[in-house]
C-alpha cells in the first residue's frame, strides 16, 4: 500500500503541486514568524546584556512628578556617597531626554520617537565607557556636542562643524567636538544620539545637580548584591536600585513579552491561511480519489480493507505534507531574513546578530504541515474506502446520500443560527465581554455558513443564470449548470474565498467606519488653521507658545496644556487654555454659564463631570494646585464633552504660578487668510526653523488622527493576501476536477458544434460564478461582523455611524471576478485542447 501511495503521488505531480504550494505558504508564515521573532529576541537581548556587562548596580529614578518636596532624581551629593561605598569602583550619573539634529534639507534625522540627548560622563581617564570615539572627543564645554556616527554621516557633519540642535526649547547651535559609536538602544532603533556636557544635559532634561540614572561598577572582589544593599538606603523614595544582571534579565523578559504580541498576530494570519488551505487540500484529494475510483474498487476486490485504503490516502497526504513542510520551512527562513531587512523601510534598525534557527520553528513547520495535510485528506480517504467495489466499478462517482446532506445542512443551520445570535448579543453587550462573545459567535457562524454553502449555491447561482444566458448564450447556460453540478466541491472552493473576504470586508467596514468617525470628530471639533506639535509626541517648551503669540498674522492661539488639580477633594484633569482664543481654535459647545468667565479666573466644567459631581454654574470649589497651594475656584460655565479637552478648563495664567514646567503637548492657532504657504512659513520662522517641531495644517491634522487606521488596514490586507492566493489555487483545482469529470461531455459538445472559444468561455464563466459566489457570502458575513464589533466601541466615539465602504466592496467583487478569470486560464485551455474523439470514448 505504501508503494501504491508513492506511485500515486508521482503520477499526479501537477495537481499535488498546488496542494504543496498551499501548505508551503502557510507553513512559511508560521516558521518565518518564529525564526524572525527568535532572531529579534536574541539580538535585542544580547544588546541589552552587553549594555550591562560591566554594570554591578543600576539606579533608576522616576522623577518628582508634581510634588515639589520630592527630588527630581539622584543628586550629585548622593552620587558622591555611592562612589565612596566599599566595593564600588565607579559611579556614573546619567541624564537624557529628547534632542535631534537636521539633515542638509532641514529635516529631522532618525525616527522621531528615538531621537535622544544624553550627557557625556568621562571618568578619571577622560573616557566614557559607554561611547567609543572614532573622531574627535567628547564635549567639554557648554558650546560643544558629540554625535553618533550614523547621524553624523547622514547629516554630513564633520568635527569642527556648527550643528543646530533641537530640544523641546529653542534651537541652539553647538560645535561638533566628536563622533562616536555606541550600543545605545536609541541608535540601534534607528534614532540619533546627541551628547552634551553633563551640566548642559541636566539643565535641558532635568534640573542642575541631578541625574536620572546611575550606573555603578564593582571594584575587584566587590559583590553586586552587597553593593546594591548598601546603595538602597542612600536613594530618594522615587528611585530603585537593581543589580546589572537583574536589570538585563528584566529587559530580556520585557523584550520577549513585547515581541510575543507581534508573534501572535502573525501566527494568527498564518492560521487563517492554513485554514483556507484545508479546503484546497480536501478538494485535491477528493479529485485524486475520484480519478482512481475503479482502482480503489479493484484493490478492495482483491482484498484491501477499508482501513488500508484510508491509510493509503493518508500516506499520500503525509508525503505531500512532508515535502510542503520542508519547502515551507526553507521559505520561512527566507521570509525571516526579508522581514529583518525590511524593517529599515520603517526606520527601524535591528542590532547585529546571527539568524537564530532553533528547533521550535523546525518542529512547528513539520508538525503543522503534516497535521493540516492529513486532516484535510482524512475525509476524502474515508469516503473512498466506503464506496462498495461493485458500485465503484459501475460509476466513477458516488453521489452523497440524501441523509448525509440533510444532516450536514441541519448542523450547519443550527451552528449559523446560534453563532448569529451570540454575535447580536455580543454587539448589544458592548465592551471587551461583547467582543469576546462576537469572536466566539463568528467562529460558530463561519463554520455553519461553510457547511451551508453547498445548499446556498443552487438558489444563488440559479438567480444569476438567466443573466448569463442572455449575455453569453450557450456558454453562460452551461457554466451556470456546471457550477452547481457538484455543490459540495463548489461550496468548498467558494468557502476558501469566503473566509478571506469575510476577514477583509469585516476589517474594511470597521476601519472605514472608525476612520470616518475620527475624521468627522476632528473636522467638527478642530476649527484651528494649524496645530503645532513636538516630534515624537513630546511636550513643547513654553517659549514656543510665546513665539507663536508674537508671530505675524496670528489671530488666535491657545495651548492644550495639561494641568492637574484637586477640586472639591477629588482629583481632576484640566486643560489650561487661553480665554477668548480657545473658542476660536476648538469647537466648544456652551451648555450653561459663559466661557468668557475663564478670563475672570473661573473654570468651565464638562457636562458629564458636572452632572457626576453635582456641580453647577456659580458653585465655588476648594482647590489644591500641583504645588500643594490651596485656593477656591468658581464654576463659570458648563460645556459639552469634547475628545480634545479635559473635563475642566482653566486659564493658563491661573496655573502658571503653580507649575514651573508646564506640559504642553499641542498648540492650536488661527491666522489671517487661513491656510497658506506664506502663513506656514511665518510660523516656522517664528519657531526658529526648529526641525523637531511640526506645523500641521487641517489635512495633516486629519491624517494624524485617522491615518493610522488606513495604515493598519493596508498591513492587514497584505497579510490576508496569502489566504486569497491559496483560495485562487483552490479555484484552479476545482475547475481542473470539473474538466476531468466532463471530458466525455466536452467531447460531445465539441462534436455538435461548440467551438474552442466557447468552451474556454464556459470554463471561465464557471470560475467567475464560483468566485463571485464565495465573494458575496464573504462580503455579507464580513459586513455583519464589522457592524457587530463597531457596536461595541461606538460609545467611545461620539460621532460613530456605520459606513459600508461600497467602493471597496466593488473592488473586492471585481478582484474576485479577476481571480476567477486567472484561475480558469489553465483548465480552460486544457478543456479546449481535448481531442473530441478520445474524450467521447473516455468513461
Amino acid at each position: 500500500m505504501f508503494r501504491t501511495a508513492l506511485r500515486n503521488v508521482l503520477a499526479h505531480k501537477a495537481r499535488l503541486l498546488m496542494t504543496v504550494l498551499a501548505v508551503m505558504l502557510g507553513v512559511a508564515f508560521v516558521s518565518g514568524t518564529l525564526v524572525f521573532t527568535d532572531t529579534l529576541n536574541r539580538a535585542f537581548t544580547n544588546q541589552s546584556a552587553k549594555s550591562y556587562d560591566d554594570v554591578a548596580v543600576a539606579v533608576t529614578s522616576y522623577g518628582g512628578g508634581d510634588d515639589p518636596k520630592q527630588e527630581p532624581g539622584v543628586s550629585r551629593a548622593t552620587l558622591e556617597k555611592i562612589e565612596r561605598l566599599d566595593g564600588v569602583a565607579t559611579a556614573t550619573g546619567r541624564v537624557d531626554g529628547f534632542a535631534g539634529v537636521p539633515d542638509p534639507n532641514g529635516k529631522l534625522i532618525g525616527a522621531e520617537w528615538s531621537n535622544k540627548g544624553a550627557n557625556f560622563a568621562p571618568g578619571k581617564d577622560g573616557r566614557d565607557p559607554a561611547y567609543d570615539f572614532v573622531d574627535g572627543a567628547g564635549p567639554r564645554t557648554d558650546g560643544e556636542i558629540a554625535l553618533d556616527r550614523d547621524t553624523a554621516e547622514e547629516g554630513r557633519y564633520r568635527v569642527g562643524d556648527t550643528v543646530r540642535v533641537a530640544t523641546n526649547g529653542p534651537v541652539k547651535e553647538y560645535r561638533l567636538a566628536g563622533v562616536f559609536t555606541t550600543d545605545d538602544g536609541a541608535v540601534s532603533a534607528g534614532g540619533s544620539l546627541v551628547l552634551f556636557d553633563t551640566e548642559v544635559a541636566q539643565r535641558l532634561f532635568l534640573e542642575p545637580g541631578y541625574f536620572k540614572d546611575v550606573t555603578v561598577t564593582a571594584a575587584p572582589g566587590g559583590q553586586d548584591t552587597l553593593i546594591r544593599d548598601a546603595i538602597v538606603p542612600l536613594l530618594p523614595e522615587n528611585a530603585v536600585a537593581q543589580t546589572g544582571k537583574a536589570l538585563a534579565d528584566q529587559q530580556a523578559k520585557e523584550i520577549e513579552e513585547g515581541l510575543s504580541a507581534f508573534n501572535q498576530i502573525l501566527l494568527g494570519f498564518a492560521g487563517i491561511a492554513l485554514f483556507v488551505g484545508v479546503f484546497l487540500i480536501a478538494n485535491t484529494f477528493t479529485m485524486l480519489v475520484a480519478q482512481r475510483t475503479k482502482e480503489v474498487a479493484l484493490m478492495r476486490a482483491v482484498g484491501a480493507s477499508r482501513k488500508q485504503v484510508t491509510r493509503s490516502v493518508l500516506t499520500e497526504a503525509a508525503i505531500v505534507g512532508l515535502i510542503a513542510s520542508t519547502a515551507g520551512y526553507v521559505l520561512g527562513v527566507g521570509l525571516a531574513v526579508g522581514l529583518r531587512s525590511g524593517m529599515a523601510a520603517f526606520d527601524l534598525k535591528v542590532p547585529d546578530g546571527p539568524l537564530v534557527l532553533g528547533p521550535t520553528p523546525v518542529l512547528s513547520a513539520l508538525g503543522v504541515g503534516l497535521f493540516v495535510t492529513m486532516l484535510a485528506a482524512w475525509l476524502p480517504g474515508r469516503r473512498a474506502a466506503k464506496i462498495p467495489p461493485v458500485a465503484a466499478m459501475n460509476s466513477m462517482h458516488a453521489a452523497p446520500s440524501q441523509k448525509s446532506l440533510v444532516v450536514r445542512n441541519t448542523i450547519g443551520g443550527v451552528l449559523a443560527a446560534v453563532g448569529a445570535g451570540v454575535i447580536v448579543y455580543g454587539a448589544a453587550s458592548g465592551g471587551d465581554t461583547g467582543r469576546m462573545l462576537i469572536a466566539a459567535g463568528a467562529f460558530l457562524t463561519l463554520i455553519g455558513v461553510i457547511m451551508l454553502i453547498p445548499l446556498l449555491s443552487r438558489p444563488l447561482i440559479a438567480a444569476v443564470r438567466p443573466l448569463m444566458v442572455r449575455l453569453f448564450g450557450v456558454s453562460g447556460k452551461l457554466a451556470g449548470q456546471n457550477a452547481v453540478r457538484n455543490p459540495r466541491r463548489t461550496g468548498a472552493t467558494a468557502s476558501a474565498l469566503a473566509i478571506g473576504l469575510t476577514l477583509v470586508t469585516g476589517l474594511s467596514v470597521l476601519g472605514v467606519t472608525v476612520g470616518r468617525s475620527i475624521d468627522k470628530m476632528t473636522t467638527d471639533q478642530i476649527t484651528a488653521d494649524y496645530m503645532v506639535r513636538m516630534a515624537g509626541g513630546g511636550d513643547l517648551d513654553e517659549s514656543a507658545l510665546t513665539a507663536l503669540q508674537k508671530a505675524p498674522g496670528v489671530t488666535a492661539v491657545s495651548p492644550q496644556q495639561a494641568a492637574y488639580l484637586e477640586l472639591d477633594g477629588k482629583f481632576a484633569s484640566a486643560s489650561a487654555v487661553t480665554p477668548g482664543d480657545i473658542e476660536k481654535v476648538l469647537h466648544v459647545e456652551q451648555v450653561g454659564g459663559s466661557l468668557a468667565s475663564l478670563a475672570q479666573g473661573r473654570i468651565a466644567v464638562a457636562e458629564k463631570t458636572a452632572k457626576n459631581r453635582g456641580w453647577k454654574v456659580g458653585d465655588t470649589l476648594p482647590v489644591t494646585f500641583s504645588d500643594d497651594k490651596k485656593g477656591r475656584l468658581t464654576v463659570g460655565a458648563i460645556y459639552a464633552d469634547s475628545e480634545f479637552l479635559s473635563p475642566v478648563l482653566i486659564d493658563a495664567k491661573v496655573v502658571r504660578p503653580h507649575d514651573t514646567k508646564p506640559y504642553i503637548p499641542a498648540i492650536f492657532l488661527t491666522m489671517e487668510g487661513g491656510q497658506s504657504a506664506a502663513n506656514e512659513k511665518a510660523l516656522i520662522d517664528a519657531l526658529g526653523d526648529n526641525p523637531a517641531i511640526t506645523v500641521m495644517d487641517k489635512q495633516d491634522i486629519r491624517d494624524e488622527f485617522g491615518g493610522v487606521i488606513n495604515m493598519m488596514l493596508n498591513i492587514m490586507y497584505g497579510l490576508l493576501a496569502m489566504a486569497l492566493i491559496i483560495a485562487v489555487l483552490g479555484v484552479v483545482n476545482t475547475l481542473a476536477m470539473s474538466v476531468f469529470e466532463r471530458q466525455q461531455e466536452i467531447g460531445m459538445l465539441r462534436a455538435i458544434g461548440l467551438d474552442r472559444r466557447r468552451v474556454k468561455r464556459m470554463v471561465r464563466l464557471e470560475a467567475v460564478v464560483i468566485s463571485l459566489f464565495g465573494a458575496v457570502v464573504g462580503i455579507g458575513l464580513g459586513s455583519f461582523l464589522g457592524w457587530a464589533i463597531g457596536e461595541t466601541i461606538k460609545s467611545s466615539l461620539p460621532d460613530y455611524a456605520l459606513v459600508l465602504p461600497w467602493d471597496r466592496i466593488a473592488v473586492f467583487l471585481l478582484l474576485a471576478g479577476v481571480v476567477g478569470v486567472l484561475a480558469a486560464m489553465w483548465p480552460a485551455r486544457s478543456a479546449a485542447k481535448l481531442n473530441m474523439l478520445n474524450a467521447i470514448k473516455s468513461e
Side-chain angles (χ1 to χ4, degrees):
M1 295 302 289
F2 177 77
R3 287 198 300 270
T4 302
L6 185 60
R7 177 182 62 81
N8 286 327
V9 169
L10 296 175
H12 303 97
K13 295 185 287 291
R15 286 174 188 164
L16 286 173
L17 177 62
M18 285 183 282
T19 299
V20 169
L21 286 174
V23 178
M24 183 180 72
L25 288 173
V27 168
F29 220 148
V30 172
S31 57
T33 297
L34 294 174
V35 171
F36 178 60
T37 51
D38 285 350
T39 300
L40 286 188
N41 189 22
R42 177 77 61 84
F44 283 116
T45 300
N46 287 347
Q47 183 195 52
S48 175
K50 187 177 179 182
S51 301
Y52 295 103
D53 272 348
D54 301 321
V55 176
V57 177
V59 177
T60 305
S61 69
Y62 296 96
D66 297 318
D67 187 354
K69 299 175 184 178
Q70 187 72 265
E71 289 188 277
V74 179
S75 67
R76 183 171 292 279
T78 302
L79 179 65
E80 292 171 355
K81 290 178 183 178
I82 293 173
E83 285 180 321
R84 293 193 292 268
L85 291 173
D86 291 339
V88 172
T90 62
T92 305
R94 302 288 183 187
V95 61
D96 59 57
F98 174 83
V101 298
D103 63 15
N105 297 318
K107 302 296 183 182
L108 197 65
I109 293 174
E112 294 180 353
W113 52 270
S114 57
N115 288 326
K116 180 180 170 185
N119 66 309
F120 176 67
K124 295 177 181 178
D125 59 357
R127 294 181 64 254
D128 187 330
Y131 311 105
D132 295 321
F133 280 83
V134 295
D135 193 10
R140 300 284 183 176
T141 67
D142 288 3
E144 291 183 337
I145 61 162
L147 292 175
D148 69 273
R149 182 166 59 186
D150 290 346
T151 300
E153 289 177 354
E154 189 171 343
R156 301 175 191 170
Y157 295 117
R158 298 180 181 276
V159 171
D161 287 351
T162 298
V163 182
R164 300 175 71 245
V165 179
T167 58
N168 69 340
V171 176
K172 294 183 180 179
E173 293 185 343
Y174 297 85
R175 175 185 171 273
L176 182 61
V179 176
F180 59 88
T181 59
T182 179
D183 292 322
D184 190 285
V187 177
S188 298
S192 63
L193 179 59
V194 183
L195 293 183
F196 300 89
D197 175 69
T198 294
E199 291 184 359
V200 174
Q202 287 175 331
R203 289 198 303 269
L204 286 172
F205 306 130
L206 201 59
E207 285 188 19
Y210 285 92
F211 298 95
K212 180 181 177 184
D213 306 308
V214 177
T215 54
V216 179
T217 60
Q223 295 184 26
D224 296 357
T225 54
L226 294 178
I227 294 172
R228 179 200 61 197
D229 294 342
I231 289 173
V232 169
L234 304 177
L235 300 178
E237 292 180 3
N238 60 339
V240 295
Q242 294 175 275
T243 63
K245 183 180 183 308
L247 193 56
D249 291 343
Q250 178 185 323
Q251 289 197 359
K253 185 178 180 181
E254 290 172 354
I255 289 168
E256 186 176 353
E257 289 174 352
L259 290 174
S260 176
F262 177 67
N263 192 21
Q264 289 172 5
I265 291 171
L266 290 181
L267 288 176
F269 283 99
I272 292 167
L274 289 168
F275 185 54
V276 172
V278 166
F279 295 96
L280 169 56
I281 299 165
N283 260 359
T284 300
F285 279 94
T286 299
M287 175 171 61
L288 296 178
V289 169
Q291 279 184 302
R292 56 178 198 270
T293 306
K294 287 192 174 183
E295 176 188 321
V296 171
L298 183 60
M299 290 170 61
R300 290 289 313 283
V302 297
S305 66
R306 288 185 176 183
K307 289 184 179 179
Q308 285 180 310
V309 171
T310 304
R311 282 200 296 267
S312 174
V313 176
L314 291 178
T315 301
E316 290 180 50
I319 295 170
V320 171
L322 186 62
I323 295 170
S325 299
T326 305
Y329 175 74
V330 174
L331 182 61
V333 172
L335 180 64
V337 173
L339 284 171
R340 182 173 176 174
S341 303
M343 290 183 74
F346 294 92
D347 293 326
L348 299 172
K349 294 181 181 178
V350 180
D352 292 332
L355 190 70
V356 179
L357 301 176
T360 302
V362 177
L363 296 175
S364 298
L366 291 174
V368 168
L370 286 170
F371 174 76
V372 168
T373 309
M374 294 182 71
L375 176 67
W378 174 75
L379 189 59
R382 185 169 173 270
R383 194 178 295 146
K386 280 187 170 184
I387 300 175
V390 175
M393 288 182 178
N394 289 333
S395 174
M396 289 192 63
H397 324 291
S401 67
Q402 188 65 29
K403 179 182 177 182
S404 68
L405 290 174
V406 171
V407 171
R408 175 189 176 117
N409 293 336
T410 302
I411 295 174
V414 170
L415 287 176
V418 171
V422 172
I423 290 172
V424 172
Y425 181 71
S429 300
D432 291 337
T433 303
R435 284 188 284 275
M436 290 178 65
L437 288 170
I438 290 171
F443 178 75
L444 293 175
T445 304
L446 196 59
I447 297 298
V449 169
I450 287 170
M451 296 182 74
L452 286 173
I453 274 183
L455 178 66
L456 297 173
S457 63
R458 288 186 179 277
L460 289 178
I461 293 176
V464 298
R465 193 182 300 159
L467 179 63
M468 295 170 62
V469 173
R470 191 176 303 116
L471 293 176
F472 303 104
V474 174
S475 296
K477 181 179 181 179
L478 292 173
Q481 291 174 342
N482 293 333
V484 294
R485 176 172 292 187
N486 192 326
R488 280 192 172 184
R489 193 163 59 241
T490 297
T493 305
S495 295
L497 279 168
I499 293 167
L501 282 171
T502 293
L503 297 170
V504 169
T505 305
L507 287 171
S508 297
V509 170
L510 187 61
V512 171
T513 299
V514 172
R516 293 272 180 90
S517 299
I518 292 174
D519 188 61
K520 187 175 187 301
M521 179 177 66
T522 303
T523 53
D524 286 353
Q525 296 194 29
I526 298 179
T527 56
D529 294 322
Y530 295 98
M531 180 174 75
V532 176
R533 295 188 73 174
M534 194 72 184
D539 61 308
L540 292 157
D541 188 75
E542 201 169 12
S543 61
L545 176 61
T546 304
L548 291 171
Q549 288 170 336
K550 296 177 180 178
V554 173
T555 55
V557 57
S558 178
Q560 190 186 37
Q561 180 180 329
Y564 302 95
L565 312 169
E566 187 179 293
L567 278 171
D568 201 17
K570 293 183 180 180
F571 170 81
S573 175
S575 290
V577 299
T578 303
D581 285 359
I582 185 64
E583 304 97 310
K584 298 175 184 177
V585 296
L586 293 175
H587 177 69
V588 186
E589 185 180 343
Q590 190 171 287
V591 176
S594 173
L595 288 170
S597 64
L598 288 172
Q600 301 165 12
R602 298 190 175 192
I603 60 172
V605 182
E607 190 174 11
K608 287 183 181 177
T609 302
K611 183 178 180 181
N612 291 338
R613 298 202 181 184
W615 297 340
K616 58 184 181 298
V617 174
D619 286 353
T620 300
L621 311 172
V623 60
T624 302
F625 293 98
S626 59
D627 58 356
D628 281 344
K629 292 186 178 179
K630 301 184 184 297
R632 298 186 73 82
L633 291 172
T634 301
V635 178
I638 306 293
Y639 64 94
D641 291 76
S642 169
E643 295 295 319
F644 295 93
L645 291 171
S646 297
V648 175
L649 296 185
I650 189 170
D651 187 348
K653 292 178 181 177
V654 175
V655 299
R656 188 168 295 135
H658 307 283
D659 194 352
T660 55
K661 286 189 175 180
Y663 180 78
I664 306 175
I667 300 172
F668 296 95
L669 52 99
T670 58
M671 300 189 72
E672 291 179 4
Q675 295 179 186
S676 69
N679 280 343
E680 187 171 334
K681 187 176 186 307
L683 296 177
I684 293 172
D685 291 343
L687 293 165
D689 195 16
N690 191 326
I693 297 179
T694 305
V695 177
M696 307 169 69
D697 61 22
K698 289 183 178 179
Q699 187 58 49
D700 293 331
I701 295 170
R702 293 172 67 183
D703 293 342
E704 174 76 11
F705 291 102
V708 176
I709 301 291
N710 289 327
M711 183 184 74
M712 291 301 297
L713 275 178
N714 291 333
I715 293 173
M716 296 297 183
Y717 289 159
L719 292 173
L720 286 169
M722 187 173 64
L724 294 177
I725 290 172
I726 295 173
V728 172
L729 297 177
V731 178
V732 175
N733 249 15
T734 295
L735 292 175
M737 184 189 303
S738 181
V739 170
F740 163 74
E741 288 179 353
R742 302 199 309 269
Q743 286 186 66
Q744 191 178 62
E745 176 189 316
I746 292 172
M748 290 293 294
L749 290 171
R750 293 273 289 111
I752 61 175
L754 193 69
D755 58 22
R756 289 184 175 181
R757 181 174 59 85
R758 284 189 287 182
V759 169
K760 287 182 180 180
R761 183 186 296 168
M762 175 185 71
V763 177
R764 290 195 196 104
L765 286 173
E766 182 181 346
V768 171
V769 167
I770 293 173
S771 298
L772 289 177
F773 168 58
V776 169
V777 172
I779 289 169
L781 189 54
S783 299
F784 177 52
L785 290 176
W787 162 82
I789 297 172
E791 289 294 302
T792 67
I793 62 173
K794 70 177 184 180
S795 59
S796 60
L797 292 172
D799 293 311
Y800 179 90
L802 180 68
V803 177
L804 290 177
W806 294 111
D807 53 342
R808 300 192 187 196
I809 289 174
V811 170
F812 298 156
L813 288 171
L814 178 62
L815 287 176
V818 172
V819 162
V821 172
L822 293 177
M825 289 179 67
W826 173 52
R829 189 166 176 269
S830 299
K833 291 179 69 176
L834 282 175
N835 183 291
M836 65 180 74
L837 295 178
N838 290 336
I840 291 171
K841 289 189 295 181
S842 67
E843 296 182 12

